[in-house]
Amino acid sequence: MSMITLKDIRHSYLPSPVDDVDWALKEMSVEWRDGGAYALLGPSGCGKTTLLNIISGLLSPSEGEVWFGDHNVTNEPADTRNIAQVFQFPVVYDTMTVYDNLAFPLRNRGIDETVIDKRVREIGAMLDLSDTLEKRASGLTADGKQKISLGRGLVREDVNVIMFDEPLTVIDPHLKWVLRSKLKELHQRVGATMIYVTHDQTEALTFADQVVVMHDGTVVQIGTPVELFERPQHTFVGHFIGSPGMNVLPCGIDNGKAIFAGQTIQTVDPISDNRQGCTEIGVRPEFVSFDDDGIPVNVVKSIDIGRFRIVEVRHDEVSIKLLVPEGKDIPADGAFVSFDAAHTRVYIDGWMAGAN
Amino acid sequence: MAMKSTNQKAWFFVLPVVVLVAFNALIPLMTVVNYSVQETFGNNVFFFEGVKWFEDVLHSERFHASLLRQLSFTGIILVIEIPLGVAIALTMPQKGFWVSVCLVLMALPLLIPWNVVGAMWNIFALPDIGLLGRMINGIGIDYNFTQDPTAAWFTTILMDVWHWTSLVVLLAYAGLRSIPEAYYQAAKIDGAGSWAVFRHIQLPKMKRVLTIAILLRFMDSFMIYTEPFVLTGGGPGNATTFLSIDLVKIALGQFDLGPAAAMSLIYFLIVLLLCWVFYTLMMKDEDQ
């Protein structure tokens, strides 16, 4: 068990990348704490799987180094890295029983059969597979097969990190929740580092202590779910996490103050950033409310989601979303909205002003 | 009642198929059945003989010998072509320019007319002028497929392997290509060696296509006629007289319609039975 460090990693699937867009993974350095539960979150095609395969050793990075503890494993193949991986589609060895499937990684490593037997039964019990150990693996349902995939990782006592590549894709909705809580429970029992790739924010936020948000081949933010919600470092994080996502409104800057709709908008900190570029205000719908005065808007539509209504309003051509609690009225024409200054931030070229 | 009359109309829709099957399978087959229980001395005069021809054929040493030759031939080519085909498919490139080159090369033998294959190998293997025949004799082995039964068998089998292994290769290759990359990645992580990958991933995933390959090769080789007829004409002696060659000799050479018809039916039933046995054995533990 050890910390995983990625040093100046960069990867391209092309033989000689020239342009920025040629890199599937742009230069990054990331540390994964030993025993942490991480989620790797981002839209499809943002480089999540590439990053995962670099850690597991299925792919060797074009540039940079991978360290497990104080050991450089960049050139080591997947089977000597002590990693386990659960894939999007369940991988089981069809002709074998569940028992033999679980024993397979140990047998390949020449471990004594009595040790294997003890370990396989232990893991089988942990995954609620005890009753099916003697059955053919091909006969199990998708969630059973995913448990086998996971079990093949868990049987190895030396396993450093277990990686999940969108493991719940083919699982029935009502079983997703069951399997997810099982993972959480296993993480506490086994104590191995777990990295969970997903494009589903609910999966990421419920599973992980730390969420790594990726966008376009870059890590945009690493933080706890609360941090991602309250202090999104990038407009992408604000927009991707939360439902509905953060409002991102074009604004002007005058004398260190944000100007929107001809009015000065109070933000968290005065803007001390000297960077030039596209400036925007970011404020979550949770922190926008109807007010007696402020920004004049027209109400466009409202969707009832139970305890709240999502209301979309417009100022000129700019659309703003806000949450209105149940029981509160939505004003008709001539409405105004205001932003909660403690949760309103300015972003320059997508990045939070003042941050990096 | 209205329902019933609607149902009856459905027969008109299956009528074309019934007519087609009747003309291309049922009627010819019944003609053969008809011949198999009668004797004729020409002039279109027939005498009913019952199951006599069937008894004759089943007790005939000549039929036993042909059947044994046929079984040996099919057994040998299956034992060679299936593993060889799988081995070639495993070594073929998975992507890039060479994939299409390999596929075209593999498909070539399958595109050559069967009698041309026979003629090609006949000339190729002739001991005096053929390239192969000259070479084998050149290295000091006495080889003449027109006189020596062993040489004739060797040549016939080599020809069949050359002609048909490609089919197994193409089917096996298709099977291999359909295995998702994740299986190989999982196996790598599980520390599986290349034998374990073959035994537990590639072979089970190829099972269905290999079943088809074995069935096709079994049926085709069990009914082989054209190539050995052109290559050896069933000789030397009767050394390469397989079932269908023997059947043609009886039916057209000696014009014994009754015995030939009985033999055809027995031949047909053997093919049917063996196909069923193969299929049942190979699909035995499917869907468990």
Side-chain angles (χ1 to χ4, degrees):
Chain A
M1 307 257 176
S2 45
M3 186 167 88
I4 299 166
T5 317
L6 304 180
K7 292 184 182 167
D8 308 320
I9 289 288
R10 208 145 78 122
H11 189 75
S12 172
Y13 289 102
L14 303 172
S16 47
V18 208
D19 231 347
D20 216 30
V21 292
D22 293 347
W23 294 95
L25 219 54
K26 304 197 172 76
E27 190 166 314
M28 63 172 69
S29 295
V30 187
E31 284 186 354
W32 313 80
R33 190 176 49 78
D34 181 29
Y38 289 93
L40 204 50
L41 179 67
S44 301
C46 71
K48 300 179 304 254
T49 302
T50 306
L51 184 59
L52 200 68
N53 287 345
I54 284 175
I55 300 174
S56 63
L58 293 171
L59 201 63
S60 80
S62 310
E63 287 173 19
E65 291 174 352
V66 182
W67 289 70
F68 282 14
D70 44 15
H71 194 58
N72 184 349
V73 297
T74 315
N75 296 316
E76 273 186 32
D79 57 322
T80 59
R81 283 195 190 186
N82 297 334
I83 52 104
Q85 190 161 344
V86 177
F87 297 89
Q88 191 168 7
F89 297 97
V91 175
V92 295
Y93 304 106
D94 292 336
T95 50
M96 297 187 201
T97 60
V98 174
Y99 182 97
D100 290 333
N101 258 280
L102 295 178
F104 190 62
L106 300 179
R107 286 185 180 144
N108 284 330
R109 287 170 173 80
I111 290 165
D112 191 67
E113 276 296 328
T114 53
V115 180
I116 293 179
D117 187 68
K118 184 171 162 288
R119 192 69 189 154
V120 166
R121 291 187 189 283
E122 190 182 325
I123 298 300
M126 209 186 272
L127 292 169
D128 311 320
L129 288 171
S130 295
D131 297 339
T132 49
L133 280 182
E134 303 308 324
K135 287 206 180 123
R136 277 266 292 265
S138 58
L140 268 66
T141 50
D143 61 306
K145 288 181 180 175
Q146 275 308 44
K147 280 188 188 170
I148 297 175
S149 298
L150 173 60
R152 284 203 313 269
L154 292 174
V155 283
R156 286 157 50 203
E157 269 166 307
D158 55 355
V159 102
N160 234 328
V161 49
I162 304 173
M163 288 178 280
F164 303 88
D165 192 353
E166 309 197 18
L168 303 182
T169 309
V170 293
I171 308 295
D172 286 345
H174 69 284
L175 287 172
K176 280 189 186 189
W177 188 82
V178 178
L179 216 54
R180 213 156 54 205
S181 354
K182 192 82 205 172
L183 285 183
K184 196 83 183 145
E185 177 200 324
L186 285 171
H187 178 251
Q188 262 132 36
R189 274 174 78 167
V190 182
T193 313
M194 289 190 178
I195 303 177
Y196 188 106
V197 166
T198 178
H199 58 250
D200 180 334
Q201 53 166 313
T202 320
E203 278 180 26
L205 299 179
T206 50
F207 173 79
D209 313 330
Q210 291 278 313
V211 179
V212 179
V213 184
M214 285 188 71
H215 173 50
D216 209 7
T218 351
V219 171
V220 279
Q221 186 168 3
I222 303 176
T224 62
V226 173
E227 280 168 355
L228 296 181
F229 185 79
E230 296 201 332
R231 290 176 55 84
Q233 299 283 308
H234 191 279
T235 49
F236 174 78
V237 179
H239 198 78
F240 195 70
I241 289 171
S243 177
M246 184 169 76
N247 293 301
V248 179
L249 317 166
C251 71
I253 302 284
D254 184 33
N255 230 346
K257 293 276 183 198
I259 310 290
F260 177 70
Q263 303 182 20
T264 302
I265 304 294
Q266 296 299 323
T267 54
V268 177
D269 317 291
I271 304 151
S272 53
D273 207 304
N274 296 323
R275 280 179 302 164
Q276 299 296 310
C278 162
T279 49
E280 286 156 321
I281 290 173
V283 57
R284 289 196 175 276
E286 286 82 352
F287 305 115
V288 182
S289 52
F290 285 115
D291 213 337
D292 296 336
D293 58 358
I295 302 154
V297 292
N298 294 320
V299 177
V300 181
K301 64 180 173 195
S302 133
I303 305 163
D304 199 326
I305 53 163
R307 285 164 54 210
F308 291 94
R309 272 169 296 172
I310 302 171
V311 181
E312 188 181 338
V313 298
R314 240 174 238 275
H315 172 85
D316 287 342
E317 286 306 298
V318 185
S319 138
I320 305 169
K321 288 198 173 92
L322 62 152
L323 290 188
V324 178
E326 207 176 25
K328 267 200 156 184
D329 287 335
I330 299 171
D333 290 338
F336 296 95
V337 294
S338 64
F339 304 153
D340 178 352
H343 293 98
T344 306
R345 291 189 168 77
V346 171
Y347 292 85
I348 302 176
D349 282 339
W351 294 95
M352 190 202 281
N356 79 12
Chain B
M1 275 305 154
M3 279 294 281
K4 250 186 183 169
S5 67
T6 316
N7 280 344
Q8 298 303 331
K9 273 181 193 164
W11 287 107
F12 286 105
F13 293 100
V14 286
L15 194 64
V17 175
V18 172
V19 171
L20 200 70
V21 171
F23 273 97
N24 88 40
L26 234 50
I27 294 173
L29 190 68
M30 290 323 289
T31 319
V32 176
V33 172
N34 188 35
Y35 284 141
S36 74
V37 291
Q38 302 190 71
E39 167 73 299
T40 179
F41 300 104
N43 292 334
N44 226 9
V45 185
F46 287 90
F47 307 94
F48 187 72
E49 286 281 8
V51 293
K52 179 174 181 292
W53 299 134
F54 288 92
E55 284 170 358
D56 278 5
V57 169
L58 287 173
H59 289 115
S60 137
E61 273 179 29
R62 177 175 166 178
F63 177 72
H64 292 169
S66 304
L67 180 62
L68 185 66
R69 261 179 244 124
Q70 186 66 70
L71 287 170
S72 317
F73 176 76
T74 296
I76 292 170
I77 65 105
L78 281 181
V79 164
I80 297 173
E81 288 175 15
I82 301 297
L84 184 65
V86 171
I88 294 174
L90 283 171
T91 51
M92 265 169 61
Q94 294 284 316
K95 52 186 166 197
F97 169 73
W98 290 103
V99 172
S100 16
V101 174
C102 285
L103 288 178
V104 169
L105 280 178
M106 283 295 146
L108 274 181
L110 300 174
L111 301 175
I112 300 173
W114 297 6
N115 55 349
V116 176
V117 172
M120 263 168 56
W121 278 82
N122 185 313
I123 298 165
F124 185 45
L126 278 177
D128 43 1
I129 58 162
L131 187 62
L132 178 73
R134 282 294 287 266
M135 267 167 52
I136 296 180
N137 281 300
I139 56 170
I141 298 167
D142 186 26
Y143 168 85
N144 186 345
F145 77 92
T146 58
Q147 285 167 15
D148 174 21
T150 316
W153 268 77
F154 170 78
T155 317
T156 315
I157 287 165
L158 193 64
M159 173 181 67
D160 197 80
V161 168
W162 176 83
H163 192 183
W164 288 111
T165 304
S166 304
L167 180 75
V168 183
V169 172
L170 294 179
L171 284 168
Y173 186 71
L176 281 174
R177 287 287 293 270
S178 69
I179 302 175
E181 185 61 24
Y183 278 86
Y184 294 110
Q185 295 180 331
K188 211 188 252 179
I189 290 167
D190 288 339
S194 49
W195 168 249
V197 169
F198 176 70
R199 170 73 187 75
H200 298 297
I201 297 173
Q202 290 169 326
L203 202 54
K205 295 276 169 205
M206 278 195 290
K207 192 176 152 189
R208 280 164 182 277
V209 286
L210 283 184
T211 307
I212 294 170
I214 291 174
L215 277 179
L216 283 178
R217 282 316 299 130
F218 163 73
M219 286 190 291
D220 277 349
S221 70
F222 208 78
M223 298 186 286
I224 191 167
Y225 176 77
T226 315
E227 298 114 300
F229 178 75
V230 177
L231 181 72
T232 63
N238 279 328
T240 54
T241 301
F242 301 121
L243 277 178
S244 53
I245 296 180
D246 204 20
L247 183 62
V248 172
K249 278 184 186 170
I250 295 172
L252 303 177
Q254 302 160 217
F255 214 72
D256 286 333
L257 283 188
M263 184 176 163
S264 302
L265 289 175
I266 293 168
Y267 192 178
F268 169 61
L269 289 176
I270 293 173
V271 174
L272 208 62
L273 177 75
L274 287 178
C275 280
W276 178 78
V277 169
F278 268 124
Y279 190 79
T280 315
L281 282 181
M282 298 187 70
M283 285 295 153
K284 194 178 56 170
D285 39 27
E286 199 81 352
D287 308 320
Q288 259 181 18

